[in-house]
Amino acid sequence: MLPNVSTMNIAHRGAQGVCPENTLLAAGMGLAYGAHMWELDVSMTKDGVLVVIHDDTLERTTNAAQLPAFAGRAPWRVCDFTYDELKTLDAGSWYVQTDPFGQIAAGAVDDDDIASYKELRIPTLREALEFTRDAGWCVNVEIKDHAHLIGHNVIAEATLDCIRDTDMVESVLLSSFQYRYLEQAGIMLPEIPLGVLVYDEPVADPVALVRSLKAQAYHPWRKNVTEEVVDRLRDAGFGVNVYTVNDAAEMAELASWGVTGLFTDFPLLCWGVLQGELF
Ligand code: G3P
Ligand code: MG
């Protein structure tokens, strides 16, 4: 069951503020830090395996660009490689090299953590769902709409099959910026709750949008949400889960407006805010 709390603490790409995103380590950190669920991004390999990765290329979050076996294959699109090839990649060391949130510099990540990052692999969706199920936890599965996937529903169908096969229908919130995938979910698996992702474009009538897609929640970018928008959606019976909120005061304000979820890279911080310990 999805969490029955006023505001869900959702570990964005796992606890990506403190370790490599979209890995099972990041998921485990989110769980340890008190998140009610985690969020992951799904893409598909050349041979049709669903994998958990945000970008449509491997360059930023793996060592593909440094490996002889991957030489000459730029821009290293996920869809140009088989899963057997992806399995060979280190999906953690990039974090040490870039330290996007300054955690290593700040001393919040120790040498043992860093040494373990190079062992990290790109998880399959199945592995991620099984991990979540075995932990008795929940997950927001975001279906990415990478260029090679546009125009058909193969990734949505495979994702829904995987959710069903792993017995996770009641523990998944499905979302996408690509609304045809949500419509496909409504046909294939009408019981699964849906979140409607929106970028920074203005949406004239969010209630009508969510209703038209038979979704349960609106997932706006944090700069694109106002208290009035939250009120309208909540009054109509819909959830509002906002991404990506990393500032404690902003978390507290959004929670006070009645948002139903906060995607955050720092779930421990969010836990403190929602406990009322920080604001
Ligand atoms: O699902 C919320 C958020 O993950 C959407 O943006 O680019 O981080 O996947 P992105
Ligand atoms: Mg995402």
Side-chain angles (χ1 to χ4, degrees):
M1 294 291 285
L2 295 183
N4 183 19
V5 294
S6 347
T7 309
M8 294 183 291
N9 175 357
I10 307 169
H12 184 233
R13 307 184 199 172
Q16 76 146 335
V18 294
C19 61
E21 67 186 56
N22 277 323
T23 61
L24 297 188
L25 176 67
M29 293 288 274
L31 182 62
Y33 285 168
H36 297 105
M37 66 165 69
W38 66 301
E39 183 260 5
L40 59 80
D41 304 292
V42 178
S43 190
M44 191 177 253
T45 63
K46 182 179 181 179
D47 53 339
V49 177
L50 295 168
V51 285
V52 178
I53 186 166
H54 179 272
D55 298 2
D56 63 352
T57 69
L58 300 163
E59 189 169 10
R60 182 178 64 87
T61 58
T62 77
N63 62 341
Q66 285 95 54
L67 294 181
F70 288 73
R73 300 171 75 183
W76 301 285
R77 295 193 311 169
V78 174
C79 62
D80 290 335
F81 296 90
T82 64
Y83 176 62
D84 278 348
E85 289 175 302
L86 260 57
K87 269 198 302 197
T88 66
L89 296 172
D90 163 354
S93 293
W94 68 274
Y95 188 87
V96 181
Q97 289 147 17
T98 59
D99 189 14
F101 295 91
Q103 298 297 303
I104 296 166
V109 176
D110 66 25
D111 290 345
D112 288 344
D113 294 332
I114 291 170
S116 71
Y117 291 167
K118 70 174 187 304
E119 309 296 331
L120 294 173
R121 297 289 173 264
I122 298 171
T124 62
L125 177 63
R126 177 172 287 273
E127 288 169 342
L129 291 176
E130 288 174 348
F131 171 88
T132 310
R133 181 194 63 204
D134 295 348
W137 204 25
C138 299
V139 62
N140 173 204
V141 173
E142 181 194 339
I143 305 178
K144 280 298 178 201
D145 195 29
H146 294 154
H148 64 292
L149 297 166
I150 291 172
H152 50 84
N153 282 337
V154 63
I155 189 169
E157 291 171 8
T159 298
L160 291 160
D161 283 342
C162 191
I163 292 168
R164 195 162 35 200
D165 290 351
T166 51
D167 200 20
M168 281 290 285
V169 174
E170 292 189 354
S171 304
V172 167
L173 169 61
L174 192 79
S175 65
S176 188
F177 289 105
Q178 175 55 261
Y179 300 158
R180 65 182 294 153
Y181 298 157
L182 302 181
E183 289 166 345
Q184 183 64 18
I187 295 165
M188 276 181 68
L189 211 51
E191 61 269 48
I192 199 159
L194 304 175
V196 181
L197 273 163
V198 290
Y199 287 114
D200 55 352
E201 73 276 17
V203 175
D205 191 343
V207 170
L209 175 65
V210 174
R211 189 169 282 138
S212 71
L213 291 165
K214 299 184 171 58
Q216 279 66 38
Y218 186 63
H219 289 194
W221 182 48
R222 64 187 182 85
K223 298 272 193 197
N224 199 24
V225 65
T226 61
E227 188 168 11
E228 191 247 331
V229 165
V230 175
D231 282 346
R232 281 165 59 191
L233 285 148
R234 300 292 289 125
D235 288 349
F238 297 119
V240 183
N241 304 320
V242 184
Y243 70 93
T244 300
V245 189
N246 290 334
D247 176 79
E250 193 177 359
M251 291 172 186
E253 180 175 47
L254 288 163
S256 77
W257 291 355
V259 304
T260 50
L262 295 165
F263 292 92
T264 182
D265 300 322
F266 297 96
L268 185 59
L269 178 68
C270 190
W271 181 86
V273 171
L274 295 179
Q275 292 285 312
E277 290 181 359
L278 297 178
F279 281 87

